Amino acid sequence: MRTARPAILAVVAIGTSLVAPGPLPAHALISADVLTPSVATPPADGTFRAGPALAPACAGVTIRTTDDAAQVVDDWPAGTTFCFTSGVHRIGETIHPKANQVLASSQGAVLTGSIRLTKWTASNGDWLTTGALPPAYPLTGQCEDNKANICYLGEQVFYDGKHLTRVATRDKVAPGTFYADYAANAIYLGDSPAGHAVEMSKTPTAIEPGGNNVTVRGLTVEHFATPPQGGAVVLGLGWRVYANEIRWNHAVGAMLINADSAVLEKNEIHDNGQLGVGQYSTLKGTISANDISDNNTDGFWIADWESGGVKTTWSSGGWVTGNLIQDNRGVGLWSDAYDDSRTFSNNQIVDNAADGIRYEIGRNGVIEDNSISGNGYGTGRGSGTSLWDGGGININTSSNVQVRDNVVANNVNGITIQSRTRGSGPWGTNVLRDIVVSGNKVTMLRGTTATGMVQNSGAAIPAGEVTLDDNTYILDSLAAERFQQTGQWYTAQQWRSTGQDTASAFTIGRAILDATGALTILPAVS
């Protein structure tokens, strides 16, 4: 159970409204009621409920901490329910459940992919152990530090359960860090291991398909040495994975692959090395009511390589809805590469380092009723503040996308629409077409924050293909240039003259952030 920081608790912006030439439309008048968000909010006590505490009691074949879980599951027929006892279950081999089997616990079972490291010797101020590492393997993935390039290495080290930071060379070892020398099969530790539990992630995957319609519930899954783009828990066709905690795995916490109609819900998915949730080649998958927070602990590229909260690709239909996606070091929620007919709705997307939502090279998308705040302020390789760098919502070279009824506040930019030269794919040339942005409440109060469109020289946006209207904008000043169209900046009045947002409302206000991160917009001080 996690304390949520909702993007908007209250929005009150009773200030100066922009009057367009001619009569002011009735819906351009601002009131507190108009600006009250309609998105889902956490319970009154400020908590977001997910994880093993929500799992029901388990009755079935017992798996004890001393058992070989993979072998026990393999020994029983399809349809069997397995109940893991409390305590730490060391998973040396991936579990492949058969059709309709249930892997469950109501006793606090922890499935770990780590091994104990117990034989240490002092070595020039550090501590050394040998023989635990696999042979060296090649680079995959892209790291934030693209010179050291160590994010792809899967063997994490934990000191009394605390995740240690990997360093690239022996001379960088210090307290809180470790160095793995694969050629010498040696691990160097910067803290004394005496009297402490030191473990290293070893097994690549906890659970992956052996059959369809499997249920996984009530488990904590941690310390798996998942390769980049690989999941500690991999869902298959018709799977339901709910009320689990999936944490501190090297790459992706939960991954849907060819997982048609699978459901991932009410899980705590946090502190994984690359990404909280991934989805690939799945029809009508559902990712719902999960707490997906603090992912990308191992230094994958924040701005532009599958790091952060959720990323889906090559999937059709289905929903990402009702999730808390918070404090991830990357994009909060990212649809990329030939997603079709995806719906992102009613999510709270807060304080992620890159875009809140990015919809890229897709079509027929719906982004609605989300609350999106504080995203895009990460720094590092490829980060920035222009419309090319994204914002609260970023639509990139996609077609037939509806962006409606979202609350977008205090992000590096508001709603950004990008037309890029992105080659061709299964639908022909990738182009930006038929984008409609309506009914949103967008707050832009500081820095270079803007809403608008940018385009490459080879990807001009034809007239009429992007429509913004019936939105509400809360600005620091009506004279501020908070809108942009292909390189030209505009005030609110000038923006209307381009034909965009002609029936939208503009007002000025000031932002107050309380101790919980909640944003309130007050009338501007005259």
Side-chain angles (χ1 to χ4, degrees):
M1 186 170 64
R2 176 185 175 94
T3 300
R5 297 201 308 274
I8 305 290
L9 283 185
V11 180
V12 181
I14 306 173
T16 303
S17 297
L18 173 64
V19 180
L24 181 68
H27 54 265
L29 296 172
I30 306 301
S31 72
D33 290 338
V34 170
L35 294 178
T36 300
S38 59
V39 299
T41 56
D45 62 1
T47 57
F48 188 96
R49 291 179 173 84
L54 302 181
C58 185
V61 175
T62 298
I63 299 181
R64 299 173 178 83
T65 58
T66 54
D67 292 335
D68 179 340
Q71 187 62 57
V72 173
V73 171
D74 193 55
D75 286 344
W76 286 81
T80 302
T81 294
F82 300 95
C83 301
F84 287 80
T85 60
S86 63
V88 175
H89 297 252
R90 295 196 180 272
I91 307 300
E93 294 185 12
T94 300
I95 301 169
H96 294 91
K98 300 181 180 71
N100 301 300
Q101 288 186 337
V102 177
L103 306 181
S105 179
S106 53
Q107 300 182 16
V110 177
L111 276 57
T112 182
S114 66
I115 59 172
R116 297 184 182 94
L117 302 178
T118 58
K119 297 179 180 180
W120 295 92
T121 58
S123 177
N124 295 323
D126 303 323
W127 285 264
L128 167 68
T129 190
T130 59
L133 291 169
Y137 46 90
L139 178 151
T140 58
Q142 296 191 41
C143 307
E144 180 68 24
D145 179 352
N146 61 344
K147 295 182 172 57
N149 270 334
I150 56 175
C151 70
Y152 66 94
L153 297 168
E155 289 69 41
Q156 299 168 305
V157 175
F158 299 88
Y159 184 89
D160 290 338
K162 179 183 178 182
H163 174 269
L164 299 182
T165 300
R166 181 191 293 273
V167 295
T169 57
R170 164 77 190 278
D171 62 295
K172 300 296 184 183
V173 175
T177 72
F178 77 98
Y179 169 61
D181 184 338
Y182 287 80
N185 199 349
I187 296 173
Y188 295 89
L189 193 67
D191 299 276
S192 171
H196 298 275
V198 183
E199 301 187 2
M200 182 192 79
S201 56
K202 182 79 170 180
T203 307
T205 306
I207 303 165
E208 63 184 17
N212 301 332
N213 303 313
V214 168
T215 297
V216 179
R217 67 173 193 253
L219 302 174
T220 295
V221 179
E222 66 178 19
H223 299 183
F224 285 83
T226 44
Q229 299 177 299
V233 177
V234 181
L235 286 71
L237 191 149
W239 281 42
R240 186 182 182 212
V241 174
Y242 74 99
N244 302 281
E245 183 174 9
I246 305 173
R247 66 189 187 191
W248 294 114
N249 302 290
H250 171 62
V252 186
M255 190 79 189
L256 291 74
I257 302 178
N258 298 318
D260 296 357
S261 300
V263 175
L264 179 74
E265 65 179 346
K266 297 183 181 179
N267 301 282
E268 294 177 300
I269 304 174
H270 65 93
D271 291 292
N272 295 286
Q274 176 200 339
L275 188 68
V277 178
Q279 177 173 306
Y280 172 75
S281 188
T282 291
L283 175 65
K284 294 184 178 179
T286 299
I287 301 169
S288 175
N290 302 284
D291 176 351
I292 304 168
S293 303
D294 298 296
N295 295 289
N296 189 17
T297 62
D298 279 4
F300 288 86
W301 187 13
I302 291 171
D304 212 26
W305 196 81
E306 299 199 16
S307 64
V310 180
K311 185 170 186 182
T312 79
T313 64
W314 290 88
S315 294
S316 298
W319 304 265
V320 181
T321 184
N323 301 282
L324 172 63
I325 304 174
Q326 180 170 289
D327 291 327
N328 297 285
R329 286 168 285 280
V331 177
L333 172 52
W334 188 355
S335 171
D336 188 18
Y338 308 109
D339 269 0
D340 191 356
S341 303
R342 305 282 285 132
T343 298
F344 297 165
S345 64
N346 291 96
N347 300 287
Q348 298 177 67
I349 303 176
V350 184
D351 291 346
N352 299 285
D355 302 340
I357 294 178
R358 184 182 298 178
Y359 204 94
E360 180 176 3
I361 315 181
R363 66 182 183 184
N364 305 323
V366 175
I367 299 170
E368 64 182 356
D369 293 318
N370 300 285
S371 185
I372 304 165
S373 177
N375 301 284
Y377 291 102
T379 59
R381 185 162 65 99
S383 297
T385 60
S386 77
L387 293 189
W388 288 110
D389 300 301
I393 300 175
N394 172 12
I395 307 302
N396 181 345
T397 320
S398 295
S399 61
N400 190 28
V401 180
Q402 303 285 322
V403 180
R404 62 196 184 208
D405 303 323
N406 301 283
V407 176
V408 182
N410 201 36
N411 302 285
V412 68
N413 282 302
I415 298 174
T416 69
I417 300 167
Q418 303 175 357
S419 180
R420 298 175 180 255
T421 49
R422 300 300 301 271
S424 60
W427 308 327
T429 303
N430 298 313
V431 293
L432 182 85
R433 296 289 188 273
D434 194 18
I435 309 300
V436 178
V437 179
S438 63
N440 302 284
K441 301 171 181 66
V442 184
T443 301
M444 300 183 292
L445 297 175
R446 64 185 183 181
T448 59
T449 302
T451 284
M453 292 163 273
V454 289
Q455 65 185 31
N456 287 146
S457 59
I461 304 171
E465 292 292 348
V466 176
T467 301
L468 295 90
D469 216 354
D470 293 312
N471 300 294
T472 298
Y473 296 97
I474 305 163
L475 310 173
D476 47 338
S477 166
L478 295 183
E481 294 180 331
R482 293 289 177 209
F483 301 90
Q484 187 184 152
Q485 182 169 322
T486 60
Q488 179 67 49
W489 288 84
Y490 300 94
T491 66
Q493 184 71 68
Q494 293 166 343
W495 178 243
R496 274 185 168 170
S497 71
T498 70
Q500 298 290 355
D501 283 309
T502 57
S504 293
F506 302 78
T507 190
I508 58 176
R510 58 190 176 94
I512 299 294
L513 285 173
D514 68 19
T516 69
L519 177 68
T520 301
I521 308 301
L522 298 177
V525 177
S526 59

